[in-house]
Amino acid sequence: MSTSSTARLFATYAAASLALVLLLGAVLVVSMRGEAERRGLAQGTTEALLVEQTAIEAHLDGRSFYEPLSTSEVATLEVLAQHSVSTGEILRIRLRNLSGKVVWSDDGSGYMGTPDDEVLDAAKGETVALVTKLNTDSVDVGPEGIDGVEVYAPVHAGASKRRVGILEIYLPYAPIAADVDAGMAALYRDLVLCLAILWLGLFGVSYYLSRGLRRLVQLNRYLAEHDTLTDLPNRAAFQAFVTAAIAADSGPIAVAIVDLDRFKEVNDTLGHQYGDHLLAELAHRLSDHIRGRDRVARLGGDEFGIVLRDATDPETALWRVRELIESEVRIDGLPITLNSSIGYAVSPSDGVDCDTLLQRADVAMYVAKSRHVGVIRYTPGIDHNSTANLALLAEMRRAIREDELVLHYQPKVSLDDERVVALEALVRWEHPIHGMLAPDRFVPLVEQTDLIDDLTAWVLARALADLVSLGDDHEHLTVAVNVSARNLARHDFATRVAATLGDLGVAPRRLVVEITETALLADPGRAAAVLGQLSELGVRVSLDDFGVGQTSLSYLSTLPVDELKIDRGFVTDMTHDLTHAAIVRSIVELAHNLSLSVVAEGVETGEVSDALRRAGCDLAQGYLFSRPVPITALRAVLTASADAVLLRS
Ligand code: C2E
Ligand code: CA
Ligand code: CA
C-alpha cells in the first residue's frame, strides 16, 4: 500500500465518518423536534386544565351544560374571558355540552355545525390537544394566522367529579414555544457538542491508526526493497531499477554483476562476523563511489549488482570498482584483501530487458571468474558453453543430494605380479536427461565453486563405504580419491576426512588422496599444510598427473608425498616416443631417490607394461588391466586378478 493511497483512504474515512455523524445528528434533531412539539402540547394541556379547574369549575354550580347557564354564571365567564383574551393569555374559549353543542363562547362564535372528533373524545373524558393555526378574529382554522394550541377538556362538576360539559380553549403557542425552545436550545447545544466530540474522537483514532499504518507500510516497503546487512537495495529493487532505467533512458545502460572471489573462505576461516563486516564495508565503499543516477545493490551472498547509466565507458568504471574492492579492508586490525570477478552486459546491444541483461552479465561474470580475468563484457558466443554449464552447475546440488552420482573403480596393479593393490575412485554423473556424464564434463565446473566441497565429501564417503563392503578378503586394498585445489583451501579439510574415516571405521592408511601437481602449485604453502595434516593422520598422498607441472625438486622433497603418478600423456606412447620414455624413466628414478612409490597411468598395451617393468616402475593403471568399473563389476575383476596371480604362482 503506497503512502498516497493510505492518505486517500484516510481522507475517505474522515469524510465518511463525518457524513455518518451528520446523519446521526439529523435523526436526533428530527426526533427532538417531535419531542419539542409534544412538550408544547403538554404545556398547553396543563394550562388549559388549570383554566378548567380555576376559572370554569370553580365558577359554575355543577349542573350539566344541557341546562342553560345562569345569568350570573355567564357574567362571570364574560369577565374572565374579557380579561384573558384582552391580555392575550387566551385566544378563544368555548363551552360545549356533552353532545358537542356550543353553549357559550367568548365571542359568540361556533354555535352551528357538527362537532369534531376531538370534541367527542373530550365528551368521553379524554383531554385532546393539537397545534393549530387560527385567526384571532375568526373561528376559521387555516394555513394563515398565528400558531395556537387547541385543547379540548372535559369539565367536571365540583366535588362529584361528574362530567358536565366540554371546555374548548385556544392558547397562543408562541409563549409555550419560547419556553420549550429555551429548554431545547440547551439540548441542541449539547447535541452539537457531543456529535463534534464523537467525530473528533473517530477522526483522531483513525488518524493515529492510519499514521501508524503508514509508518508500517513504509518500513515494510523499505525492508522488502533493502538488504538488512548492507542497507543496499536488494535484488528485487535492483531489477525494478534496471527495468525503470531501460524504459527511461535512450543512452546505453550497463548492468554489471560483481562476485567476490574467495569470500566464503574468509567467512569459513575467520567467522561470519568478519564476513558480515567485510560485506558491509565493501557495500559502503561501492555506494560511496557509485553516485548520481547509477545504482549499486546486493544481489545476495557475496554478489553485488551495479547499473551504470549513460554508460559510455563502463569497462573503465568497472575496473575502478574492482580496484576499490581490492584495496585492503582492516577488520579488528586484520588486513583482508579480496579480488572480484565482474561481468557486464550493455543495453540495448546485449539485451533490451532486465532479465536478459542480468543473465548475460551473470554469464560474463562466470567467465571472468573461471578465466581469472577481472572484468569482462558479455559477447555472443561467450556463453556458447557457459549457459549449458551454468545449468549443469545448478543441477549439481540435486545430483549430490539425490545420489545421481556414481563411482567407478580402476585398479592399480603391481607390475611385479599384476596383483591389484589399490583402487582409484572416479566419479560419474548419471544425469536424468544427458545420460552418463564423464567427470571432465562437470568436475572442472564444480571446482570453480564451493560445491566441490560437497562433491568431494560425497565421493570420499561413498568410496570408503564401498571399500568396507568389499570385506575382509580385500583388506590389503587402498582406495584413492581425487581432491581439488579448492578442497585444500578449507582449513578443516583434514578434520573432515578424519571424521569420515572414523564414522566408517576405515584405517587412515587405506585411504590415498590424489592431488594433481598443478593444483598443488595454485597455493603451495596452503597445500603443504593440509597435506601435512593428512599425512599425520596416516592418510597417504599421491601426486597426480606428475610431469606436466614444474614442481621444483626442493619443494617436492618438503612435501609429505607417498606416491607419484606419471601423467598418462608420457606413458601411453612411451614405446614410440623416445623423449616420453626418457621422462618416464627419470620420474621413476626421481621417485625412488625420494623413497616414493611410482604409478604409471594410461597403460593400454603389454609392450608399455613391459617397458615400465624394465624401467623399475612399481604400479600400473590402465585399460590393459581394467577400465574403471562399477563396484558390482569390480568384484569380478578382483577375483580374476587373484586367480591369475594364483595360476602364475
Ligand atoms: P585422473 O585422476 O587422471 O583419472 C584417470 C583418468 O584416466 C580417468 O578418466 C580414467 O578413466 C582414464 N584412464 C584410465 N586408464 C586409461 C587408459 O589406459 N587410457 C586412457 N586413455 N585413459 C585412461 P576419467 O574417469 O574420465 O577421469 C578424468 C579426470 O576426472 C580424472 O583424471 C580426475 O582428474 C577427474 N576426476 C575423476 N573423478 C574425480 C573425483 O571424484 N573428484 C575429482 N576432484 N576429480 C575427479
Ligand atoms: Ca587421479
Ligand atoms: Ca592422473
Side-chain angles (χ1 to χ4, degrees):
M1 197 174 7
S2 74
T3 320
S4 69
S5 69
T6 0
R8 257 203 315 278
L9 248 177
F10 175 63
T12 314
Y13 174 79
S17 63
L18 181 64
L20 271 176
V21 165
L22 289 178
L23 184 69
L24 177 68
V27 170
L28 286 174
V29 164
V30 167
S31 106
M32 280 165 77
R33 280 254 173 81
E35 176 61 21
E37 194 171 305
R38 267 190 303 284
R39 283 197 196 183
L41 289 176
Q43 192 168 327
T45 307
T46 312
E47 282 180 24
L49 290 178
L50 199 66
V51 170
E52 189 264 329
Q53 281 164 14
T54 56
I56 312 295
E57 252 183 67
H59 293 96
L60 299 184
D61 65 0
R63 276 175 299 116
S64 159
F65 289 181
Y66 285 116
E67 292 171 40
L69 299 174
S70 69
T71 328
S72 69
E73 281 173 335
V74 169
T76 315
L77 289 173
E78 303 268 83
V79 172
L80 169 86
Q82 229 176 3
H83 173 73
S84 301
V85 173
S86 66
T87 56
E89 279 170 43
I90 290 172
L91 296 175
R92 185 152 307 145
I93 182 164
R94 290 176 187 142
L95 293 180
R96 296 175 186 259
N97 65 22
L98 289 171
S99 307
K101 187 167 173 265
V102 175
V103 294
W104 174 83
S105 72
D106 68 298
D107 61 348
S109 65
Y111 289 92
M112 313 291 284
T114 42
D116 293 331
D117 288 347
E118 297 84 32
V119 176
L120 300 177
D121 287 342
K124 290 180 202 146
E126 259 180 69
T127 302
V128 184
L130 35 128
V131 175
T132 187
K133 289 216 181 266
L134 80 168
N135 297 321
T136 38
D137 53 357
S138 128
V139 289
D140 289 342
V141 174
E144 295 302 319
I146 59 168
D147 285 330
V149 182
E150 183 180 352
V151 185
Y152 298 85
V155 178
H156 297 100
S160 75
K161 289 296 164 207
R162 188 168 39 86
R163 275 198 299 282
V164 291
I166 298 161
L167 165 70
E168 177 181 355
I169 189 168
Y170 294 81
L171 303 165
Y173 187 57
I176 296 174
D179 262 14
V180 170
D181 283 352
M184 292 307 288
L187 268 182
Y188 284 133
R189 201 186 50 227
D190 291 352
L191 174 70
V192 168
L193 202 68
C194 286
L195 289 178
I197 289 172
L198 175 68
W199 185 69
L200 282 176
L202 286 176
F203 187 85
V205 166
S206 70
Y207 178 76
Y208 277 105
L209 278 181
S210 74
R211 200 170 61 169
L213 205 68
R214 243 183 352 247
R215 285 199 187 133
L216 205 68
V217 165
Q218 278 162 357
L219 180 69
N220 275 345
R221 180 174 340 134
Y222 185 85
L223 289 179
E225 290 176 352
H226 286 79
D227 165 56
T228 41
L229 174 67
T230 59
D231 250 1
L232 289 179
N234 61 15
R235 181 178 283 270
F238 185 71
Q239 283 170 323
F241 186 80
V242 173
T243 307
I246 294 170
D249 291 11
S250 52
I253 299 166
V255 174
I257 291 182
V258 180
D259 194 276
L260 303 180
D261 301 338
R262 293 176 41 243
F263 173 74
K264 194 165 185 290
E265 251 172 70
V266 172
N267 233 6
D268 288 346
T269 45
L270 298 177
H272 286 277
Q273 259 175 323
Y274 275 81
D276 287 357
H277 259 84
L278 189 62
L279 285 175
E281 165 61 23
L282 293 180
H284 188 70
R285 274 188 201 172
L286 290 180
S287 50
D288 260 9
H289 175 67
I290 302 279
R291 272 161 197 255
R293 302 169 69 231
D294 300 341
R295 264 298 186 290
V296 59
R298 182 173 176 214
L299 303 183
D302 56 352
E303 209 175 82
F304 295 94
I306 293 176
V307 191
L308 302 172
R309 302 174 80 166
D310 307 318
T312 41
D313 186 10
E315 186 87 17
T316 310
L318 292 170
W319 275 106
R320 176 81 192 102
V321 164
R322 194 168 184 268
E323 275 168 30
L324 263 182
I325 293 175
E326 221 173 291
S327 70
E328 187 182 281
V329 180
R330 272 189 177 268
I331 301 173
D332 289 350
L334 199 74
I336 299 172
T337 318
L338 277 192
N339 280 328
S340 59
S341 301
I342 304 179
Y344 70 99
V346 182
S347 105
S349 44
D350 301 337
V352 290
D353 63 279
C354 172
D355 283 352
T356 310
L357 287 170
L358 266 177
Q359 193 233 323
R360 295 191 162 168
D362 204 43
V363 167
M365 185 279 288
Y366 170 78
V367 174
K369 183 160 287 231
S370 57
R371 294 188 197 157
H372 304 284
V373 288
V375 180
I376 216 171
R377 176 177 172 175
Y378 169 85
T379 46
I382 195 179
D383 62 341
H384 183 67
N385 283 316
S386 303
T387 319
N389 289 348
L390 282 177
L392 265 193
L393 258 185
E395 289 177 301
M396 181 42 94
R397 222 174 279 281
R398 182 202 65 215
I400 295 173
R401 194 178 57 235
E402 301 191 355
D403 267 359
E404 285 176 18
L405 301 181
V406 285
L407 288 185
H408 283 186
Y409 294 93
Q410 189 175 36
K412 293 180 189 174
V413 303
S414 155
L415 276 170
D416 281 348
D417 53 8
E418 296 194 358
R419 184 201 298 264
V420 177
V421 296
L423 304 168
E424 181 180 4
L426 295 158
V427 71
R428 277 100 183 83
W429 182 356
E430 270 179 3
H431 192 281
I433 295 165
H434 306 309
M436 186 74 95
L437 296 181
D440 291 338
R441 177 71 186 85
F442 60 91
V443 170
L445 292 175
V446 180
E447 277 175 339
Q448 306 291 332
T449 75
D450 289 324
L451 265 183
I452 192 64
D453 291 327
D454 298 342
L455 181 106
T456 304
W458 185 91
V459 171
L460 181 68
R462 174 53 55 90
L464 293 180
D466 282 346
L467 187 66
V468 170
S469 79
L470 286 176
D472 295 345
D473 291 353
H474 301 287
E475 239 186 339
H476 65 285
L477 286 181
T478 62
V479 71
V481 167
N482 293 283
V483 162
S484 303
R486 206 179 173 105
N487 293 139
L488 298 187
R490 287 195 70 107
H491 69 290
D492 61 348
F493 183 70
T495 320
R496 283 165 182 242
V497 170
T500 311
L501 283 167
D503 287 349
L504 293 164
V506 177
R509 59 170 178 78
R510 297 189 70 192
L511 175 65
V512 178
V513 162
E514 285 191 15
I515 175 97
T516 64
E517 191 190 3
T518 34
L520 257 194
L521 298 176
D523 188 350
R526 175 99 218 130
V530 179
L531 293 185
Q533 290 167 354
L534 287 171
S535 160
E536 234 158 69
L537 282 176
V539 172
R540 304 209 289 176
V541 177
S542 173
L543 264 199
D544 206 352
D545 298 351
F546 192 80
V548 285
Q550 271 119 41
T551 321
S552 78
L553 277 180
S554 59
Y555 176 60
L556 186 61
S557 62
T558 63
L559 286 176
V561 172
D562 302 276
E563 179 183 270
L564 292 188
K565 286 185 84 170
I566 310 171
D567 188 74
R568 69 168 186 267
F570 303 118
V571 177
T572 312
D573 63 353
M574 67 178 283
T575 46
H576 306 293
D577 188 315
L578 292 179
T579 322
H580 285 172
I583 289 174
V584 169
R585 278 195 302 272
S586 53
I587 293 176
V588 171
E589 204 175 323
L590 168 72
H592 287 164
N593 285 339
L594 294 170
S595 312
L596 309 178
S597 126
V598 60
V599 189
E601 59 180 0
V603 181
E604 295 179 356
T605 63
E607 286 164 25
V608 170
S609 171
D610 290 341
L612 287 166
R613 198 176 292 112
R614 280 198 300 277
C617 185
D618 305 303
L619 305 176
Q621 180 180 347
Y623 294 169
L624 175 66
F625 309 103
S626 169
R627 287 187 173 256
V629 291
I631 181 78
T632 42
L634 180 69
R635 290 173 201 282
V637 172
L638 291 176
T639 316
S641 143
D643 289 350
V645 172
L646 272 180
L647 265 179
R648 274 197 306 274
S649 58

